[in-house]
Amino acid sequence: MNLATSTTTPRHGLMPLNPSSAVSSLRRSLFASLRKISPLTPMASAPTSAALSTTAPADNGAAKPAEMQPVQVAKRLEKFKTTIFTQMSMLAVKHGAINLGQGFPNFDGPDFVKEAAIKAINAGKNQYARGYGVPELNSAVAERFLKDSGLQVDPEKEVTVTSGCTEAIAATILGLINPGDEVILFAPFYDSYEAMLSMAGADVKAITLRPPDFAVPLEELKAAVSKNTRAIMINTPHNPTGKMFTREELEFIADLCKENDVLLFADEVYDKLAFEADHISMASIPGMYERTVTLNSLGKTFSLTGWKIGWAIAPPHLTWGVRQAHSFLTFATCTPMQSAAAAALRAPESYFEELRRDYGAKKALLVDGLEAAGFVVYPSSGTYFVMADHTPFGFGDDVEFCEYLIREVGVVAIPPSVFYLNPEDGKNLVRFTFCKDDDTLRAAVDRMKAKLRRK
């Protein structure tokens, strides 16, 4: 496997930086100007003034502007903006910047998986799949889980295939969480968690993981659990910090769950990108399988994020709720891609070993470059992200820094304050991804070393 150590085609979108494309204030444009690009997308709480325009025929048959209408959104989603990933990817294109923001590879997945998809399509596997997954994928998920965690699960009763891990998260939350239930997250967190919990009417608590090691504050977590706590949600390896939860932390969380009859939702999409320690699945902690939903997907491990193949593994009494929600979210997932996913999960162990080795080299390339450019870089033990402290460059917060980085340097990163309930907790940080070919990583590093100056 070759994770695109070099490219000769401009797949990475590495375009010359055009200073004239910068607007007078990227602080306004970072979140708000995307309305100019996508006028149907509200960028903040629904405005009370006009936001959308349409046209209507004039008396003479020509089109004329119709009355402006305010955007509309349900109250449970008023606080949420267009996802930061969409915003930053669009701005990367708009400003000709190298995108080290959104976590999608700019190289393709393995040929043997794509060939399996083509074979399935040509074999006529193109109609609705069974709602909870085609049998061959359910079996492959169960086989992979046995190899990775040592747990044997029933592919028919305990595995549910979904349209990406994000849908697995949605089905788990909507299927198992009631309005008023309390759910504890670890901040910073993937933004889908909070939005989906809001849709379910849950009350969200957040325990903040702080640099440099982003360790779990165990006593703070213990104090946060109450009689209303229905679930704790973890992500290990952890996006955006790259942290891997230690066995001590997992066992402490497990004890809290068992003592307080709390469910555990474990997002493990980066389980194959563990560099400095073996991944530990929460379900494998003694006494935890019966109260755990394990969430995973194909995209990160096989560089096929656009396929959106995910799954949830849970005991039958929890799978029931997950499947009930899944049935009314998407019902079924792309049939030929499920067949290909089964082939992917049955890849030899050498594939996963090479994956870690290649990504480890990419991480080293980016981390060394960031440090040379003047960042304070925090350890990343997993995922394909690194977090850094941008304050040596003298900017007031992460949004201001990322504005400058796009406009003046030509590199896109993610301002992680959007991943906290309290944005102040993330204002000194910036997230970069290294799931890019080596040429792109070097070009981004060269731009930052040339144009960033410590204050």
Side-chain angles (χ1 to χ4, degrees), residues 35 39 48-55 65-72:
R35 187 177 286 120
T48 56
S49 59
L52 301 178
S53 64
T54 58
T55 58
E67 182 181 353
M68 303 286 281
Q69 297 292 327
V71 297
Q72 299 184 35

Side-chain angles (χ1 to χ4, degrees), residues 101-175:
Q102 190 172 3
F104 62 86
N106 68 339
F107 43 83
D108 214 355
D111 288 340
F112 79 94
V113 185
K114 294 183 292 182
E115 288 164 2
I118 294 168
K119 182 178 178 181
I121 291 169
N122 290 335
K125 297 180 179 180
N126 300 305
Q127 306 308 320
Y128 288 131
R130 187 178 65 171
Y132 58 91
V134 301
E136 61 182 319
L137 179 53
N138 288 61
S139 295
V141 169
E143 292 165 14
R144 186 76 252 167
F145 196 56
L146 176 60
K147 289 180 181 179
D148 293 341
S149 69
L151 296 172
Q152 188 160 11
V153 299
D154 185 334
E156 293 299 298
K157 297 179 180 179
E158 299 175 286
V159 176
T160 305
V161 175
T162 60
S163 297
C165 189
T166 299
E167 197 229 325
I169 293 165
T172 298
I173 290 172
L174 293 175

Side-chain angles (χ1 to χ4, degrees), residues 197-447:
L197 288 167
S198 176
M199 289 188 220
D203 294 329
V204 179
K205 284 184 177 178
I207 303 299
T208 299
L209 308 178
R210 303 184 186 280
D213 58 359
F214 300 99
V216 176
L218 300 179
E219 293 306 314
E220 182 181 343
L221 172 61
K222 183 176 181 179
V225 176
S226 75
K227 62 182 177 60
N228 297 321
T229 303
R230 169 68 168 163
I232 296 173
M233 188 157 195
I234 68 169
N235 173 209
T236 182
H238 182 255
N239 171 21
T241 67
K243 169 192 171 55
M244 292 185 65
F245 282 61
T246 66
R247 181 170 290 277
E248 177 190 10
E249 290 171 335
L250 293 175
E251 289 178 345
F252 187 92
I253 295 168
D255 288 342
L256 284 178
C257 290
K258 289 180 283 187
E259 291 166 5
N260 296 278
D261 192 22
V262 169
L263 300 179
L264 193 288
F265 303 153
D267 178 350
E268 300 183 359
V269 293
Y270 298 100
D271 62 336
K272 296 303 179 192
L273 295 176
F275 305 114
E276 296 166 15
D278 291 335
H279 169 73
I280 303 170
S281 181
M282 177 57 101
S284 70
I285 302 293
M288 282 304 292
Y289 180 73
E290 289 302 306
R291 60 179 66 252
T292 299
V293 182
T294 303
L295 309 160
N296 212 322
S297 74
L298 188 79
K300 306 298 189 295
T301 303
F302 292 92
S303 304
L304 296 165
T305 58
W307 285 20
K308 297 298 289 180
I309 303 293
W311 54 87
I313 302 172
H317 67 283
L318 298 180
T319 290
W320 175 255
V322 174
R323 288 186 179 178
Q324 286 293 93
H326 166 66
S327 294
F328 298 104
L329 286 170
T330 60
F331 173 67
T333 295
C334 181
T335 305
M337 299 313 184
Q338 288 193 57
S339 294
L345 292 177
R346 290 178 172 131
E349 291 305 308
S350 58
Y351 172 86
F352 303 103
E353 292 166 3
E354 191 173 351
L355 178 81
R356 284 188 290 271
R357 184 166 59 250
D358 287 353
Y359 267 122
K362 291 180 181 298
K363 183 181 81 163
L365 194 163
L366 179 59
V367 168
D368 291 348
L370 291 174
E371 290 176 342
F375 291 92
V376 176
V377 182
Y378 296 117
S380 173
S381 300
T383 74
Y384 41 51
F385 303 112
V386 294
M387 291 274 266
D389 185 336
H390 65 77
T391 57
F393 304 108
F395 293 88
D397 58 40
D398 57 329
V399 173
E400 183 182 353
F401 175 74
C402 286
E403 292 167 0
Y404 179 87
L405 199 65
I406 294 170
R407 183 180 69 243
E408 301 297 339
V409 181
V411 174
V412 175
I414 294 291
S417 58
V418 298
F419 303 140
Y420 293 82
L421 289 187
N422 178 13
E424 285 291 305
D425 290 338
K427 71 176 185 177
N428 293 337
L429 303 173
V430 59
R431 191 196 79 173
F432 295 93
T433 185
F434 51 88
C435 60
K436 309 295 177 182
D437 63 70
D438 289 8
D439 288 350
T440 298
L441 293 173
R442 290 192 186 97
V445 164
D446 288 346
R447 288 186 179 188

